[in-house]
Each structure stands twice: as C-alpha cells, then as structure tokens.
Amino acid sequence: MKSKRELREEILNKREGLSSDDVESFSKVICGKIAETAYYADAADICVYMPIRNEVRLAGLVNAARKDGKTLWLPRTEDGVMRFYRWDDGTEMTRGSFGIWEPEPRYPLPEDRDVLVIMPGAVFSRDRDRIGYGGGYYDRFLKNRENSHTIAVCYDIQIVGEIPAERHDIRPDMVMSEKRTIGCGAG
C-alpha cells in the first residue's frame, strides 16, 4: 500500500488536471446531492470552506443554504487551530493561512452547537477513510463534536480502494462525489 504522502501527491496531481468545466459541472452535481440529504434538511448551521486548488466548489450549496435560511460558518486558522466564524453577505474577509479567504473573527461558532460540516480532502476510501492535507485541522475540530454530521466532498478520481488510516483520523459520515455517495446507508 502506498503511504499517505504518496497517495496525497498522486491524487492531488489528478485533481489539478481537471478542467475548469469539469470542476464546475461536478461541483454543481455534488452541491445538489448534498441539498437532498437528511443531514442538510435537518441542519440549521452548516460549516463550509473556501475552495482552493480545484477543490469542490460550494457556491451552489451556499446559495441554497442562504435561501433556505441556514447559518453558514467558515474556517479561520489561528495559532494552528481551525475555528469557524459566521459568514453572511456582510462578513469582512481577509487572506489568511495558506492564502485562503477567511472571515474576520467576530462571531465564533459556539462550542456546543451541532452542525453539518462539509469538508474537503485529498484522498478518500470506499470505507470513508480520509487523507487531508496533513495538518489534522478537521480531525481536531471534530474530536469533541460527536453530535455533528460530516459530509466529505471530492471528485470520483479521489476515491481509492483503501488508504492507510490512523486511530485519530475521523471518518466522515458520508463521502460524496459527482458519481457516488458512500456511507450512512447511501450505497
């Protein structure tokens, strides 16, 4: 089996090779699928991310969530810790860690709030194991949020048979690509 580093590099190179048309069309399909889940229907609060390097674009989901009256939260990395802050039309944004747009830290996500977390990643397995980008930000954020739900989004080229997983790695409830949904009885 390849190492996490080898798999991450290989799959991210494939993702970088996707055309902008593929990224847009696949992202639209994925956002539509998320909006049809019970997790989405039940969520009052949704944590999203600002996509970089050909990650799944969440504009369709963000627009639907705003129309449906859901509260959106974006991550901000401070001192190596990822925290989420409320994101609406009036939120001031700055370039933060890794050149990613981040919200000003005015309205933090309460520690006890159950949320739906939409998370990116580099590689996923059919068993819902996940290789992120190596920082462990989502694993640490989700560690004490047992009642929150997670949907990891990716393109089908990012799903492989199996990947090396460690005990601290948190499996998302669902892994969703433009072609399939894995987990929670999704098939």
Side-chain angles (χ1 to χ4, degrees):
M1 182 183 307
K2 294 180 183 175
S3 71
K4 281 186 171 185
R5 185 188 57 74
E6 291 168 325
L7 276 168
R8 183 184 295 120
E9 185 176 323
E10 175 187 327
I11 299 300
L12 288 179
N13 282 336
K14 286 182 180 181
R15 190 179 77 187
E16 286 295 324
L18 290 173
S19 71
S20 59
D21 287 345
D22 281 344
V23 169
E24 286 301 322
S25 67
F26 295 165
S27 294
K28 184 177 180 181
V29 169
I30 293 165
C31 288
K33 288 171 62 173
I34 292 170
E36 294 173 358
T37 67
Y39 289 154
Y40 175 86
D42 294 343
D45 296 278
I46 302 177
C47 293
V48 294
Y49 62 88
M50 282 291 184
I52 59 169
R53 299 187 316 251
N54 267 5
E55 288 177 328
V56 173
R57 297 194 178 131
L58 300 177
L61 180 66
V62 166
N63 292 337
R66 286 190 170 144
K67 192 165 58 173
D68 292 339
K70 298 181 184 292
T71 303
L72 294 170
W73 305 85
L74 273 178
R76 179 181 181 90
T77 305
E78 303 161 324
D79 301 322
V81 176
M82 182 176 71
R83 294 180 178 90
F84 281 82
Y85 294 89
R86 194 172 70 212
W87 177 42
D88 52 39
D89 287 335
T91 302
E92 290 183 41
M93 304 288 284
T94 57
R95 282 240 192 239
S97 302
F98 315 107
I100 301 170
W101 286 103
E102 298 179 336
E104 287 296 316
R106 291 203 177 117
Y107 304 104
L109 176 65
E111 295 281 331
D112 61 349
R113 180 96 37 109
D114 295 335
V115 294
L116 170 59
V117 180
I118 308 300
M119 59 196 299
V123 188
F124 300 90
S125 77
R126 291 186 297 255
D127 292 327
R128 298 187 338 265
D129 290 315
R130 173 184 174 272
I131 297 175
Y133 301 114
Y137 293 104
Y138 279 92
D139 289 325
R140 287 191 302 276
F141 173 76
L142 292 167
K143 186 176 166 187
N144 297 314
R145 292 186 175 267
E146 297 87 18
N147 295 321
S148 290
H149 294 289
T150 52
I151 299 176
V153 293
C154 64
Y155 307 111
D156 217 59
I157 59 169
Q158 293 176 257
I159 300 174
V160 299
E162 65 178 312
I163 58 178
E166 298 172 32
R167 285 184 41 204
H168 67 270
D169 292 339
I170 292 180
R171 280 185 174 158
D173 295 313
M174 293 179 143
V175 174
M176 191 173 288
S177 76
E178 75 279 8
K179 293 184 179 176
R180 55 186 151 166
T181 300
I182 303 167
C184 296

